Amino acid sequence: MKKIILFLLFISNFLLANNIGKIVSFNGEATITREGESIQVDKNSIFQKNDTLNTKENTKLQILFLDNTIISVGQNSILKINDYLFEEKNTKAEFAMVKGIFRTITGKIGKIAPENFKLRTKSASIGIRGTQIVVALENNNEKIFCTEGQIEIKNNITKDSIIVNKGEFITFEEISNDKFRTKKIKKSDLKEINENLEIQENLPIDHISVNSNKENISTNTNIKNATTTENISTNTKNTTTSGNVSANKMSSENIINTENISSNEELLTNKAPNAIKDETPIVTIPSTNVSNTLTEDLDGLDNVANFSTKTPSLFFKINNSTANYIGNFPSELSSNNNLVNITGQTVAIPSDSRISMDIDFGKTANEISNGKINISDIGNGTNKILTFDGELNGKSATFSLNPTGTTQGSGGTGTLYGTTANYMKGNIDLKSTDNVEINSDFSAKKQ
C-alpha cells in the first residue's frame, strides 16, 4: 500500500511539474498539438512546454501562466510555447506567434528576468521591459504595438533593433530588409484588434494566496460562476493532497483523486517559492480596451524623472492660479491596486478608468474641488463615478483627499511634483453606497 501511495505521489508531482498554464477564458473552438497528438481545447485545458495552440474562426481565449503572464489569443491564430520555466534560480519564457492576433501582459518573469522573456514572430524578436504588447500577423504583414512599458524589436534578417515606447508601434512586411520605424498609435489602429480579442462575458478571476510559512498554497479559480478549488498543504512531516490531477491529454477526467497521501518528502509544486513567498497577488484579465490610455492628456506619467522633484514650497506661496489634473491607475492587479465590482469580486481596475480634480492654488483651504473617479466598468457593463475634495499642504507639497456626497471611504493622500506642480502621485480608497470600492495608487498630470 505504501508503494502505491508513493507511486501516486510521484505521478502527481510529475504532472504538476509539466503544467505551466491554463485556460481562464474561452469562446469558440481550438486545439492543442502535443507530441504529435491533437487535443480539443475546453475551459479546463492545461498547457505544457512545446505545446502549439491553433484557434479557429470566431474564437477568443486567454491563457494564464504560472508567473501570472497572460496571453490573449484571437481567431485563426497559432501560438507555440517554445520554452517556459518558472523556478527560483532559473526563469525563462519564449513564445512564437506564427499568425493571428495576440495580446501579452507580462508577469513575474518579466520583472525578475526580463532578458529571459522573448516573443518571436517570423520576422522579429521582441524583448520586453515589463509591459503589454499587441501583435497582429496577417496577410504577410506584421504589426507590433507597445501599449504599456517598453519593448525592443530586432529584425531577424538585418539584425537591426529599435526601441518602441508606450503608445508606439511598428508595421512591416514579413521577411523584410526594411529598417524599422516607429509610429504613434491612433485609436483606429487598435479598434479592430481589440474587438477580435475582447471577451464580453464575465472575466475570470484567479486568487492565488501564499502564506509566509509555506504550509498552505491555495488556488481558487472562478470562470463563469463555476469554481474549482485546489488546496495543497505541505510540511516536512505530513503532506496531504486533495484535488484533481489532469492526464497528459489534459482532459477533465481525473486519473488521481486521493484523500490522504503521506510522505517524508516535500510535495513539489510548480510555483517558484522565493519569487512569490512574500506576495499575495490576485490575477485577473484586464480590459483589452487600451485606446483611451494613449491620449496626450496622460503623456509623461510613465517617466520616472517627472516624479523625482517635489514641488517647492515657494510655488504655493506666490502662485494664484487654478489647474485641472487628469490621471489613471495601474493596470496590474495587486492587494494595493484593485476594484471591488458590483458583484463583490476583486478585479483589476479597467485601464480606461480616470481620476480628475481641480486645484485652486490661490485659496487657503478646500483647495481641491470637483474630484471625480470615473470607473469605466464595474462588472455589468456600466460605469461608476465617485466624488471627493481635498486640502493642500504647501510646506510639504502634499495633499489629502476626502469623500463627498454619497461617496464613502477613507479618502487618500498624495504629493505634487515638478517646479510648477505639473504632476502628482497618490493613493485613494473610495466606496459607493452599493459597495463598489476602488483602492489604488494613481498618477495624474496638469492639463
Side-chain angles (χ1 to χ4, degrees):
M1 182 65 182
K2 184 177 181 181
K3 289 182 178 180
I4 294 175
I5 292 175
L6 291 176
F7 173 74
L8 293 175
L9 180 61
F10 170 79
I11 292 296
S12 65
N13 289 341
F14 174 77
L15 293 174
L16 283 171
N18 287 337
N19 297 346
I20 61 172
K22 60 183 177 181
I23 293 283
V24 289
S25 195
F26 178 52
N27 277 339
E29 184 181 358
T31 59
I32 296 172
T33 302
R34 178 179 302 146
E35 296 180 350
E37 294 189 34
S38 181
I39 304 166
Q40 201 70 27
V41 171
D42 60 28
K43 66 180 182 180
N44 299 311
S45 291
I46 302 294
F47 287 85
Q48 298 182 3
K49 177 182 171 181
N50 297 322
D51 280 355
T52 298
L53 171 71
N54 289 263
T55 64
K56 307 298 183 181
E57 192 79 22
N58 299 320
T59 296
K60 306 172 185 179
L61 61 84
Q62 292 163 326
I63 309 168
L64 175 68
F65 290 89
L66 290 176
D67 71 313
N68 293 352
T69 289
I70 298 167
I71 299 183
S72 301
V73 186
Q75 64 180 356
N76 299 321
S77 301
I78 300 176
L79 174 69
K80 292 183 178 180
I81 305 174
N82 289 343
D83 202 359
Y84 189 93
L85 185 62
F86 185 49
E87 293 180 348
E88 176 184 348
K89 296 181 179 180
N90 190 10
T91 61
K92 56 185 177 180
E94 181 179 309
F95 304 96
M97 297 170 173
V98 180
K99 74 168 186 176
I101 300 174
F102 310 87
R103 181 170 186 258
T104 302
I105 303 173
T106 57
K108 292 187 177 67
I109 294 179
K111 296 178 180 179
I112 299 169
E115 69 280 3
N116 293 340
F117 191 103
K118 296 291 182 183
L119 300 177
R120 299 194 184 278
T121 69
K122 290 181 180 179
S123 305
S125 174
I126 307 168
I128 61 95
R129 303 182 182 184
T131 191
Q132 296 182 21
I133 308 157
V134 175
V135 177
L137 313 170
E138 54 187 354
N139 300 325
N140 296 319
N141 181 266
E142 298 191 9
K143 293 180 181 179
I144 302 173
F145 301 81
C146 180
T147 56
E148 289 289 341
Q150 189 182 73
I151 59 178
E152 181 179 9
I153 304 175
K154 185 176 182 179
N155 190 315
N156 291 340
I157 298 177
T158 65
K159 306 304 179 184
D160 292 335
S161 62
I162 188 171
I163 298 296
V164 181
N165 297 304
K166 174 183 176 180
E168 296 177 341
F169 78 106
I170 66 171
T171 180
F172 53 92
E173 296 298 316
E174 289 183 356
I175 318 299
S176 172
N177 291 312
D178 293 344
K179 194 169 184 177
F180 291 157
R181 289 181 174 84
T182 61
K183 301 178 182 179
K184 274 285 187 181
I185 300 176
K186 300 177 182 177
K187 184 176 181 180
S188 57
D189 293 325
L190 287 175
K191 181 179 179 181
E192 183 177 352
I193 292 173
N194 285 334
E195 289 174 354
N196 288 329
L197 290 175
E198 188 174 15
I199 297 180
Q200 298 290 346
E201 299 169 359
N202 293 333
L203 294 176
I205 305 168
D206 276 45
H207 301 283
I208 303 173
S209 60
V210 181
N211 292 345
S212 59
N213 61 10
K214 297 184 186 178
E215 289 185 354
N216 295 295
I217 299 179
S218 64
T219 303
N220 182 3
T221 305
N222 293 320
I223 302 177
K224 299 182 186 176
N225 301 324
T227 304
T228 301
T229 305
E230 297 176 357
N231 296 310
I232 302 175
S233 302
T234 305
N235 57 41
T236 56
K237 292 183 180 181
N238 294 292
T239 302
T240 302
T241 303
S242 175
N244 299 324
V245 181
S246 301
N248 283 334
K249 291 188 178 181
M250 301 306 152
S251 68
S252 60
E253 297 177 0
N254 302 327
I255 64 168
I256 299 176
N257 187 1
T258 56
E259 294 279 328
N260 293 289
I261 297 178
S262 300
S263 171
N264 289 329
E265 298 179 4
E266 182 176 347
L267 177 63
L268 301 176
T269 71
N270 48 6
K271 301 292 178 185
N274 283 356
I276 60 174
K277 64 181 180 180
D278 295 325
E279 299 182 12
T280 307
I282 308 172
V283 182
T284 192
I285 310 299
S287 168
T288 55
N289 182 5
V290 299
S291 58
N292 288 337
T293 68
L294 306 174
T295 63
E296 293 182 0
D297 293 341
L298 304 181
D299 283 350
L301 295 186
D302 55 352
N303 188 342
V304 176
N306 290 332
F307 298 93
S308 59
T309 304
K310 285 186 178 181
T311 304
S313 58
L314 181 64
F315 168 82
F316 299 95
K317 291 181 180 179
I318 66 175
N319 196 274
N320 186 14
S321 64
T322 60
N324 172 250
Y325 290 79
I326 297 178
N328 59 4
F329 306 95
S331 59
E332 288 190 3
L333 181 60
S334 70
S335 57
N336 296 323
N337 300 301
N338 59 72
L339 167 70
V340 178
N341 66 16
I342 195 69
T343 62
Q345 296 174 317
T346 302
V347 299
I349 301 167
S351 60
D352 50 355
S353 298
R354 293 288 176 265
I355 182 170
S356 63
M357 67 190 81
D358 294 328
I359 297 183
D360 189 340
F361 294 104
K363 294 175 67 175
T364 57
N366 302 316
E367 296 94 339
I368 300 176
S369 61
N370 300 318
K372 294 180 181 179
I373 293 179
N374 190 325
I375 307 170
S376 62
D377 186 352
I378 58 172
N380 59 1
T382 62
N383 68 340
K384 173 71 68 174
I385 294 178
L386 303 174
T387 60
F388 60 90
D389 58 21
E391 305 273 352
L392 287 179
N393 183 342
K395 293 182 180 180
S396 59
T398 59
F399 56 85
S400 59
L401 303 175
N402 310 299
T404 61
T406 59
T407 301
Q408 305 164 1
S410 59
T413 58
T415 304
L416 289 160
Y417 295 88
T419 55
T420 57
N422 292 330
Y423 296 93
M424 66 167 66
K425 276 193 173 182
N427 58 79
I428 196 80
D429 185 0
L430 294 179
K431 187 176 184 179
S432 66
T433 54
D434 53 357
N435 296 320
V436 171
E437 183 174 6
I438 186 170
N439 175 19
S440 181
D441 301 327
F442 69 87
S443 55
K445 177 185 175 183
K446 185 195 291 185
Q447 302 303 296

